[in-house]
Amino acid sequence: MKILHVCSEFYPLLKTGGLADVLGALPQAQNQIGLDARILLPAYPAMMAGIPNTQIVAEFDNFAGHIILRYGQYNGVGVYLIDAPHLYHREGNPYHDIYYNDYGDNYKRFALLGWVGAELATGLDSWWRAEVVHAHDWHAGLCAAYLFNKGRPAKSIFTIHNLAYQGQFSYHHLYEIGLPSGMFHVDGLELYGQISYLKAGLFYSDAVTAVSPTYAEEITTPEFAYGLQGLLGGLKAENRLVGILNGVDETIWHPSCDSYIAHRYKLKSLTGKKKNKAALQAYFNLPQEERALTFVMITRLTEQKGVDLLIESADEIVKQGGQLMILGSGAPHLEDGIRHLAETYPQNIAVKIGYDEALSHLMVAGGDVILVPSRFEPCGLTQLYGLQYGTLPLVRKTGGLADTVVNSTSETIKNRSATGFVFDQATPEALRQSLQQAFLLWQKPRSWSMVRSDAMKQDFSWRKAAAEYFALYQRL
């Protein structure tokens, strides 16, 4: 079965979030179970540099100008690159400039991505034709609309990685992207008077997936649906909306083979974890105390991620003699807030503003608890990394966090299902109580070791997700 993934990010060549990690792992896992999965991406500078040996598949002119379609391979996976320098040759973030202003031609840049995705199901590559077009997030949402306009030559899947980002553009752009005006209505592309690329993916696809079962349920409610609860509720009723949990790429994120950490370890030999903790404390210039409960957080600094909740409750960590290390960037007021914490408690809290891939691996390997107190979280990957590395996740009960972490209570510890700490309400008080719960368990080393061991035994590999997607493709 020939599968084309259409997306805008790809780990390790270009990453702004978890979407890149998914596309860096899922197609490879699918190929390992006998599918022929390929990827379509814009030819950003990072993509061209990372996949230098390409051949020209097609050359054409359309609404977006003169386009060259290239094909190459990366880690054994076939990759198509849309070579259009006037649209994609921009360094840095693929969506906005250095001032965080969205590019004014994003409507055209990502319409082209969807258009080429549909064309690869109709013979644009004379040697390979997609049977299933699997589009990811709003950037690829128009894929299904173009396929619909062509008479549905292939089956289409749309995966929601984050419903909060919808790709909305002015109606007048419809005439510039090669779609008929008849598709602009409530049963089509229109959302609140604008074109919604995300809604196009939802409405026109044969099936829609969310990146966790709980998130698939949540997005049918007004709280999480951003005005799309009617459409999503209808998809659920028709059995066209399903939740498939993301996985972990064990070739990159596993303590026994992690190339970023100096001290590798495994479940039956955790000496390396202690050494990584000491190295992490040294990196952040915090006291190298093995018995200090160490919390780590690697995140975009936004309210969605609950950073404000942590700022208001972090004094609990200090009060109990713990340590907190944060890596991330984002909203200026939250950056200022965590800097102030580090300045106020220099012996307990340290911060690095920005992103550092190697440091993120050391933090997951060296921490005792990884914090993910999100207000909403479609799937979440950092808590999965934490489980893999025996760094117990402390999470809010939402989305994929609810699906992957079991709260440590006397009962769950006894029946060996506990894997971390879970709180319900998105309040500083609830987070504070969960922090206290972590300290209580830390004071019982035997119980802590049991929970850590059970956490490390969890299986969230991409093999499981690949098999679930295959079953969905077959159903279609």
Side-chain angles (χ1 to χ4, degrees):
M1 190 183 292
K2 296 181 175 65
I3 314 299
L4 178 69
H5 290 278
V6 184
C7 51
S8 62
E9 300 181 26
F10 180 59
Y11 180 86
L13 302 183
L14 183 64
K15 173 179 174 174
T16 70
L19 174 65
D21 290 328
V22 173
L23 273 301
L26 176 58
Q28 199 162 42
Q30 290 179 323
N31 288 342
Q32 287 169 358
I33 62 170
L35 299 178
D36 181 358
R38 299 186 181 187
I39 306 171
L40 172 67
L41 293 154
Y44 302 120
M47 301 296 180
M48 294 292 279
I51 311 174
N53 300 316
T54 59
Q55 60 191 53
I56 295 176
V57 169
E59 200 163 345
F60 52 88
D61 294 280
N62 73 353
F63 62 82
H66 186 70
I67 314 297
I68 297 173
L69 183 66
R70 299 180 176 276
Y71 177 78
Q73 290 210 336
Y74 190 88
N75 282 347
V77 176
V79 180
Y80 291 98
L81 296 175
I82 307 170
D83 189 359
H86 57 292
L87 294 177
Y88 302 130
H89 195 82
R90 298 166 196 179
E91 298 288 349
N93 192 285
Y95 316 118
H96 56 71
D97 63 24
I98 58 172
Y99 304 106
Y100 286 87
N101 297 313
D102 289 347
Y103 292 122
D105 57 354
N106 272 354
Y107 72 92
K108 186 181 292 185
R109 300 169 76 228
F110 296 110
L112 178 61
L113 179 62
W115 186 90
V116 175
E119 288 294 315
L120 279 166
T122 58
L124 187 60
D125 181 349
S126 58
W127 297 100
W128 191 88
R129 182 171 169 176
E131 297 169 277
V132 176
V133 178
H134 189 154
H136 296 265
D137 260 1
W138 75 261
H139 327 102
L142 285 191
C143 248
Y146 287 116
L147 284 168
F148 173 84
N149 199 41
K150 291 174 179 293
R152 297 184 183 272
K155 296 297 182 182
S156 56
I157 308 281
F158 182 70
T159 293
I160 307 162
H161 295 263
N162 193 335
L163 197 68
Y165 301 99
Q166 301 194 348
Q168 289 184 254
F169 301 98
S170 174
Y171 163 72
H172 73 260
H173 291 311
L174 191 65
Y175 302 101
E176 301 175 63
I177 59 175
L179 287 171
S181 58
M183 293 177 71
F184 185 79
H185 50 75
V186 68
D187 290 324
L189 301 169
E190 188 267 336
L191 184 66
Y192 301 123
Q194 293 187 296
I195 306 167
S196 169
Y197 285 30
L198 180 128
K199 187 189 174 190
L202 299 177
F203 186 84
Y204 289 108
S205 292
D206 296 302
V208 175
T209 73
V211 289
S212 71
T214 295
Y215 190 59
E217 293 289 331
E218 288 176 340
I219 57 177
T220 63
T221 66
E223 182 184 357
F224 292 95
Y226 296 92
L228 290 163
Q229 61 266 26
L231 173 57
L232 289 159
L235 291 172
K236 180 185 174 186
E238 297 167 12
N239 201 28
R240 287 172 54 204
L241 171 62
V242 297
I244 297 177
L245 195 67
N246 282 341
V248 174
D249 187 340
E250 294 171 325
T251 65
I252 297 166
W253 288 98
H254 196 283
S256 67
C257 62
D258 190 327
S259 62
Y260 286 103
I261 58 174
H263 309 289
R264 296 175 186 169
Y265 60 95
K266 53 191 174 184
L267 176 56
K268 298 226 160 97
S269 177
L270 291 168
T271 306
K273 186 159 184 61
K274 292 180 182 178
K275 292 179 179 178
N276 286 315
K277 180 173 181 174
L280 180 61
Q281 291 168 325
Y283 179 92
F284 278 106
N285 292 315
L286 293 179
Q288 292 187 45
E289 297 175 11
E290 186 182 322
R291 286 304 302 160
L293 182 56
T294 300
F295 296 82
V296 296
M297 189 178 194
I298 306 152
T299 187
R300 288 195 310 276
L301 300 178
T302 65
E303 269 84 7
Q304 179 216 324
K305 298 294 186 180
V307 178
D308 56 316
L309 306 179
L310 179 63
I311 289 171
E312 292 189 52
S313 55
D315 62 299
E316 185 68 39
I317 295 172
V318 177
K319 188 166 68 177
Q320 301 221 32
Q323 297 177 338
L324 170 62
M325 304 168 210
I326 303 173
L327 171 65
S329 63
H333 71 286
L334 295 175
E335 290 185 1
D336 291 342
I338 63 169
R339 279 198 191 98
H340 180 68
L341 280 177
E343 290 164 3
T344 306
Y345 306 110
Q347 290 299 300
N348 299 83
I349 299 178
V351 169
K352 180 172 181 179
I353 301 296
Y355 187 72
D356 184 322
E357 185 73 20
L359 177 58
S360 71
H361 283 250
L362 178 59
M363 291 173 75
V364 174
D368 298 309
V369 177
I370 189 161
L371 296 168
V372 197
S374 305
R375 283 183 166 80
F376 69 93
E377 193 65 64
C379 176
L381 289 171
T382 51
Q383 88 278 9
L384 300 182
Y385 301 154
L387 292 168
Q388 194 96 305
Y389 286 70
T391 304
L392 301 187
L394 190 157
V395 307
R396 193 172 96 75
K397 191 176 183 179
T398 184
L401 304 176
D403 290 324
T404 53
V405 184
V406 177
N407 193 30
S408 297
T409 65
S410 56
E411 184 182 346
T412 59
I413 293 171
K414 187 177 178 182
N415 67 27
R416 305 301 297 259
S417 63
T419 57
F421 311 96
V422 183
F423 65 100
D424 288 322
Q425 300 302 315
T427 64
E429 295 74 27
L431 174 52
R432 185 182 295 274
Q433 288 176 8
S434 201
L435 293 171
Q436 292 168 351
Q437 183 189 2
F439 277 105
L440 284 172
L441 187 64
W442 183 247
Q443 288 158 19
K444 303 172 185 173
R446 191 163 169 232
S447 295
W448 186 279
S449 294
M450 280 174 59
V451 175
R452 183 174 59 194
S453 173
D454 293 333
M456 293 180 76
K457 289 174 184 173
Q458 302 301 303
D459 179 12
F460 292 109
S461 67
W462 274 111
R463 291 183 296 276
K464 293 173 69 175
E468 288 187 62
Y469 279 116
F470 185 27
L472 178 61
Y473 301 155
Q474 287 179 311
R475 194 183 83 183
L476 293 178

